[in-house]
Structures are given as C-alpha cells and as structure tokens.
Amino acid sequence: MASPTEFGLFIGGKWTMPPHARRFETINPTNRESVGSFVSGTADDARAAVAAAQAAFRGWRDTPAPKRGEILLEAARRMKQQKGTLGRIVTQEMGKVLSEGLGDVQEAIDFLEYMAGEGRRLFGETVPSELRNKFCMTVRQPKGVVVCITPWNFPTAIPNWKMAAALISGNTVVFKPASATSRCGAEVVRIYEEAGLPPGVVNLVTGSGGVVGNALVEDPHVRTVSFTGGVAAGRDVYVRGAQGLKMVHLELGGKNPVILMDDADLSLALDGVLFGAFGTAGQRCTATSRLIVQAKVYDEFLGKLTDRLDRFRVGDPLDPATGMGPVASSDQETKILEYIEIGRSEATLRYGGHKLTGGAYDRGYFLEPTIFETRHGTRISKEEIFGPVLSVIRVADYDEAVRVANDVEYGLSSAIYTRDVNRAFRAIRDLEAGITYVNAPTIGAEVQLPFGGIKHTGNGGREAGSAAIEEFTEIKSVFIDFSSKLQKAQIDSETAA
Ligand code: UN1
C-alpha cells in the first residue's frame, strides 16, 4: 500500500479523529511500507468508549438474542464477500502467507456463524425444587461492558472470538487491537458497523496497551476483560483487574510439543510438524515449538525434515509458492534472533539460524526456519520463542516423552503421532494441556470447541465453543414459588410430604 490510509477511533457509532491526536502507522513486515495510520488513543478516549458502551448496554441487552444473532450472521456474510480483500490485509499487516491470511478471516466467519446460532440457545437449566409448588431455573445474563484486548497474530479471528461471544450474550464491547494490526481491527469493526450493529455496542480505541489498555482495564464501569497476549502483559492485566475485582480472562503463551513415537506414520508426521512449527512463521500460541522423538526414528525423521526444509520457500507471503513469510515486526525479529543466539550457546544448531538477506529480503524481516537439537531443560526447549524455531529432543520411550512434554510452565496445545490406540488414549489422559491432537499437529483448533490452556497459559477460562458463553455471562438462579404461602427451604422440606 503506497500511501497510508487514515483511521479514527470508533466511539458511540461514529468514526472520530480527535483533532490534535498523536498518530502511529502499522508496517508491512514484508517491505516496511505503511498499511495504515491510526490514532494513538488516550486514557480519556478509553473512558469515552466505555461510557458509550455503557449507554448502549440496556438497548442491546433487551434486543432478543436471535436478533443479535442476525446481525452477527450479516457480519459473517459481509466478511465472506470481502474475504479476499481482508485476507490480503491480514497478510500485508502481519506477514502470514495469503492462504493463512484467508484462513484467519475464515476463522472469524466460522465463529460469527457459530455465535449467531448460539443466539437461539444461550441455555439455562431447570432444576427440581426441594419444596412443592416451586419452580427453579437458571438464566444467563450479560455482564455489561466487556473489554477485548487482542494480539497481532490472528488479527481478525481472535477479535471475533471475543467480540462475537460477548455480543451474542448481550454485552457491549470496547475493543483494543494490538497496535501492530490496528488496520485489521478497524476493518472488523467497519464490518460490524455495516452489518447494522447499533451505535455504542462495539467501540474501537487504537493505541498502546500501557495507555489505552490500562485505562480500559482500570475503568470501574468495566466488569470483564478478555485478553490474549504474552505472559508478562497478561499478568499485569490480571493484577490491575483484580484491584477492581473484575473477571479477567487470559489466553497466554505456549510451548507446545509434538510427541513422535516410533510406530508413527512418519510422512504424515512430517507434514504435520512442518505446518505446526513453521506455519505462521511459528507465531501462534499453538505453534509446535518442541518435537519430542523416540530414539529409533530420530535420525530418519530429522533427516527427512531437513530435506523438506531445503525445498521450503521463505519469501513474499502473497506468492502462493511461499511456505513462510516474514516474522511480524522488527521487535519479533530481534527477539527471535536473540533466542537463536541462546540456542547456539546451549544446543546444536541443525538447520537455519540466520536472518535472510539480499534482494527483497533486505526490505523485510525474514528468518530461516530453524531447528535445534537439544536436551530437555535448555532455555530454547522451555521458553516461548514465538517464531520459526523448533527444538528437537530425543527420548527413550513414551513415559520419558510425556515427562518432557509436561515439564514446562505452559499447557496450551499438545500432539502425539502413534498408530497404537492404547497409547493415544493414554496421551489424551497424560498430557498437561488444554488441547491434545492425535495424529495431527498442535495448530488448527476449530471454533466450535473450547480453546485455552492450563498452567501459565491461562487462568482457567476457555474461549470459543459454548464455553465462550460462560466467560461472558453471569448465571442468575431464579426461584418461583407458586404455593401462595411462605415455604422455608431447609426448614419446611422435611414436612413437605
Ligand atoms: C493463537 O495462536 O493464539 O488453533 C490462536 C490454531 C488457530 C488459533 C490459534 N485456530 O492454531
């Protein structure tokens, strides 16, 4: 994109350009061109957005949920129509290859459709009473103003995971996208607006986490915060939210293992490990960052993997022949290269390990897909790198594989390749993670299942699937006594016969 496109804030149904606002640009990591110019929001902007969301809350809460669903379905329809354009914007703004940029948008569409249907469910329970002529049930109620803070790696999918679930449940939203992918965030909001969302139901404030994010999390009118990002930022959001006794939903890091047993279908595993480790340049919370291989197939598999990487193209993410685009930013590049240096000092570099230079590479942030052979326990084998760096660890047997797999502070995704059904079921039981795949890589979760992890990956919540509704609703227990007399629970029960 040659000339930057200017975007404002979206508050109370209006795109606003505060007159003396500071602005920032997002940068295409393939060529460092500007993708858009955005307002660097202030704490006052954040508070104005919360006030707009608060003002819109009653009207939205009282809109029948199936009607809310119709608007989400219309957003899905528009997103489908514009999928090609949006997918390219994803690729331009964060560098994933176009098929994955389109996949990002498809995941947003899938979730909007799923949540539109949820508008005709939002089930409560009916529960028997201990007394006669008394009826008990639960109903789900929205929480109010919800803050959604999203990362740059799935810049259309994750905002929709959060916002569509919040909206169908009757909440109103203030959305702060990762600064680096503000354009994707703005496009999502534009589509919601075009789909007919009433003013104030979704509000967008671009800007930094330190200013906008903190002001949103600390605003007393906000009851729930949903955050996806790094562990340090997540912990900070959690602590700030705790001061106001808010519900803070966190989706944080991962160090996701693929376990490869010696009875596995190796060519199937090869495709899986390549996609899991180097898809999205390894920048998924679910990325395969550890390959734990049983000794008997270790040499053969690693040989095959490096052969395949010899034919794996790194380059322009818009070119369909490209396997991996640039990493998302200069900061990402620096951090990943630092980890590669750490790896060189503590492990054996087996493949890659360099920044790619010369020609078009010099304009962007291109790294080689990188493989280290390491013992378990090194920093590269335990810390989240969030880049195209795979640690390969040799193990003797299943028990050692599981011990290694579980001995990290994260627990998001996990996978095992084996043809032994008994071992597969043991792995489903034994792997400490929110997600386990059998004979598939650690990435590629579908939206109709809960998504989230244990240990430092999160704090117990799940998004996507019907679990997402639980995050964004309060349960009210309702007792209806139609006996026309005072009945005392716990006291009259014994004599109620
Ligand atoms: C993430 O990286 O934060 O399961 C989300 C997957 C995608 C979502 C990843 N559907 O890999």
Side-chain angles (χ1 to χ4, degrees):
M1 203 155 299
S3 66
T5 315
E6 289 213 335
F7 291 83
L9 307 175
F10 187 68
I11 297 178
K14 291 198 180 65
W15 290 94
T16 59
M17 300 262 191
H20 303 296
R22 287 183 35 229
R23 302 193 71 88
F24 65 96
E25 293 190 0
T26 61
I27 301 299
N28 183 336
T30 300
N31 52 25
R32 298 202 187 93
E33 285 178 9
S34 175
V35 178
S37 158
F38 304 88
V39 174
S40 200
T42 62
D44 281 343
D45 295 328
R47 283 189 281 271
V50 172
Q54 237 191 326
F57 175 61
R58 278 291 196 83
W60 185 242
R61 181 198 69 182
D62 295 342
T63 303
K67 284 267 168 253
R68 300 198 291 254
E70 280 173 25
I71 297 177
L72 296 188
L73 207 53
E74 178 60 17
R77 198 183 64 78
R78 285 168 184 265
M79 220 172 265
K80 259 187 219 163
Q81 275 172 353
Q82 299 170 44
K83 182 175 163 186
T85 315
L86 289 168
R88 285 181 83 85
I89 293 174
V90 170
T91 292
Q92 282 168 336
E93 204 169 38
M94 70 71 63
K96 63 174 81 171
V97 292
L98 183 58
S99 59
E100 292 183 10
L102 294 167
D104 194 311
V105 178
Q106 186 58 49
E107 193 161 343
I109 295 166
D110 292 346
F111 197 61
L112 283 164
E113 288 180 347
Y114 179 86
M115 279 298 155
E118 200 58 40
R120 290 192 181 267
R121 287 185 293 266
L122 291 180
F123 294 137
E125 294 175 296
T126 59
V127 184
S129 170
E130 64 189 44
L131 295 163
R132 288 170 184 267
N133 298 323
K134 194 175 171 194
F135 184 86
C136 308
M137 65 180 173
T138 65
V139 293
R140 293 198 170 273
Q141 298 192 314
K143 298 195 165 198
V145 178
V146 164
V147 164
C148 301
I149 303 177
T150 59
W152 47 260
N153 67 333
F154 275 83
T156 67
I158 293 179
N160 279 284
W161 286 8
K162 295 187 189 305
M163 290 197 284
L167 293 171
I168 198 66
S169 307
N171 304 283
T172 53
V173 171
V174 181
F175 168 35
K176 194 208 92 64
S179 300
T181 50
S182 297
R183 172 76 187 269
C184 290
E187 298 289 350
V188 167
V189 169
R190 175 183 60 75
I191 286 176
Y192 277 141
E193 179 193 16
E194 288 169 7
L197 211 60
V201 173
V202 163
N203 305 274
L204 169 79
V205 187
T206 47
S208 75
V211 176
V212 176
N214 288 353
L216 292 175
V217 173
E218 286 168 3
D219 192 302
H221 305 295
V222 170
R223 294 303 312 147
T224 292
V225 177
S226 183
F227 172 90
T228 298
V231 171
R235 185 177 284 119
D236 186 56
V237 167
Y238 200 18
V239 169
R240 283 173 199 274
Q243 297 295 336
L245 300 177
K246 297 175 195 216
M247 214 292 277
V248 178
H249 171 102
L250 300 173
E251 290 295 341
L252 309 174
K255 191 72 185 173
N256 313 292
V258 163
I259 294 177
L260 184 66
M261 301 309 298
D262 62 16
D263 69 337
D265 177 338
L266 293 192
S267 60
L268 176 72
L270 199 54
D271 289 338
V273 170
L274 274 171
F275 184 46
F278 304 116
T280 327
Q283 301 167 119
R284 295 195 191 204
C285 311
T286 50
T288 303
S289 49
R290 294 183 294 152
L291 174 62
I292 300 169
V293 191
Q294 206 171 358
K296 207 170 124 194
V297 291
Y298 184 94
D299 292 328
E300 181 188 350
F301 190 78
L302 222 58
K304 288 187 164 155
L305 190 59
T306 53
D307 285 352
R308 281 283 289 274
L309 283 178
D310 286 340
R311 286 176 277 128
F312 188 75
R313 289 250 302 264
V314 180
D316 178 2
L318 290 173
D319 179 343
T322 299
M324 187 173 99
V327 296
S329 64
S330 147
D331 285 355
Q332 269 294 99
E333 183 182 89
T334 306
K335 193 189 83 179
I336 297 163
L337 286 171
E338 276 169 17
Y339 266 109
I340 289 175
E341 279 316 302
I342 292 167
R344 283 178 199 275
S345 70
E346 62 181 6
T348 306
L349 179 65
R350 172 72 186 248
Y351 198 89
H354 304 99
K355 177 175 167 54
L356 287 159
T357 53
Y361 286 139
D362 287 339
R363 293 203 288 274
Y365 310 115
F366 293 92
L367 300 178
E368 287 179 328
T370 296
I371 296 180
F372 283 102
E373 292 182 78
T374 177
R375 64 180 171 79
H376 171 61
T378 52
R379 285 186 64 190
I380 53 160
S381 71
K382 296 194 84 169
E383 296 176 19
E384 185 179 51
I385 300 173
F386 220 64
V389 182
L390 178 67
S391 291
V392 186
I393 304 160
R394 184 196 300 258
V395 292
D397 53 23
Y398 171 83
D399 288 335
E400 187 185 357
V402 167
R403 210 164 44 244
V404 166
N406 288 344
D407 184 31
V408 290
E409 65 179 26
Y410 299 108
L412 180 54
S413 189
S414 57
I416 185 163
Y417 281 85
T418 179
R419 288 184 169 113
D420 179 339
V421 67
N422 294 354
R423 198 183 277 138
F425 272 89
R426 283 176 65 195
I428 293 166
R429 180 195 60 198
D430 295 341
L431 289 170
E432 294 172 0
I435 303 170
T436 295
Y437 290 89
V438 177
N439 293 329
T442 55
I443 67 175
E446 301 178 30
V447 301
Q448 64 278 21
L449 276 80
F451 181 96
I454 61 174
K455 302 200 268 191
H456 284 186
T457 293
N459 55 349
R462 291 290 182 271
E463 51 193 337
S466 57
I469 298 295
E470 285 161 34
E471 299 296 304
F472 292 111
T473 51
E474 299 285 359
I475 292 179
K476 176 176 280 190
S477 297
V478 183
F479 301 92
I480 303 147
D481 190 320
F482 54 100
S483 69
S484 302
K485 61 181 183 199
L486 174 65
Q487 300 195 87
K488 298 177 191 143
Q490 293 93 39
I491 293 170
D492 290 347
S493 314
E494 278 182 26
T495 56

